Amino acid sequence: HSAYYYTLNPLKSKGKTENQPDSLDILFLSPHNGTINYILIGSIPYMSNLIKNITEFALYLVQGYVSEGDVVVDATCGNGDDTLRLAQLSPAKLYAFDIQQEAVDATRKRLREAGFAEKLKDGAIEVICDSHEHLTDHVKTFIQAAVFNLGYLPGADKGCTTSASSTMRAVRSCLSRLEPDGLVCITMYSGHPAGRQEKEHLLAFAENLDKRQWHCAYINLINQPAAPPEILLITRKKRPE
């Protein structure tokens, strides 16, 4: 008899223990002449209790929208955590932006150490020292996904943060380049004044997007104190006629 089976992929993702798989592969098994043939149907990302870690949850959502060969953007590369996770999805092109040279250097180092030196060399991955508000100066094609992790560079000057004005320009640029069924994922931090302003602008903007072209979702941890991170998701339903 033919049957579907699930198998565990090896550990790859950040923060997992030895017993936690990266994903579940779905195999279709069929006996034929005394042997078992199989076809890989697809895979499902392994999801532990990711709601406890909102940044991991955001990346979990993004990877469901990205396939091998897509074009993706990390609009705030920071120390390279999100950039590396996007690189591991095998995009045809990955753009990563940060206005601080320190962040750009850290991201390039992180990618090289993870085995992506050739991708950096051949331009399949570009780490760009520029504000994400200038995204369209560098990204000329449509994109499948863009990730924003707002705030300040961990371990650096907390006075150097993303701002509402530049973030809004960058988000609009990403939406103008977004493929149908693509995703812009924004992790917001309202525990500091600039972050609160960003959140207010972003939510007001999303609430007024044309419902015929866009779906928007807002995820927050409603019982957690001290302004925990929140996620804004925007996906394009169709291009304007």
Side-chain angles (χ1 to χ4, degrees), residues 3 6-8 27 33 46 48 52 61 69 83 115 148 155 176 179:
Y6 298 92
T7 65
L8 302 183
L27 303 179
N33 293 334
Y46 177 85
S48 59
K52 294 192 300 185
L61 295 171
T83 310
F148 290 75
S176 74
E179 294 276 13

Side-chain angles (χ1 to χ4, degrees), residues 51 54 188 199 218-224 228-231:
I51 196 171
I54 205 73
M188 306 175 292
K199 172 185 168 181
Y218 170 44
I219 301 171
N220 62 352
L221 303 176
I222 57 176
N223 71 330
Q224 297 300 307
E230 300 167 289
I231 301 174

Side-chain angles (χ1 to χ4, degrees), residues 62-95:
V62 170
Q63 69 185 28
Y65 283 78
V66 177
S67 300
E68 183 176 351
D70 285 337
V71 179
V72 296
V73 171
D74 182 354
T76 51
C77 65
N79 285 320
D81 292 346
D82 294 352
T83 310
L84 176 57
R85 294 288 288 275
L86 290 173
Q88 290 170 338
L89 299 177
S90 301
K93 183 76 175 186
L94 167 56
Y95 297 92

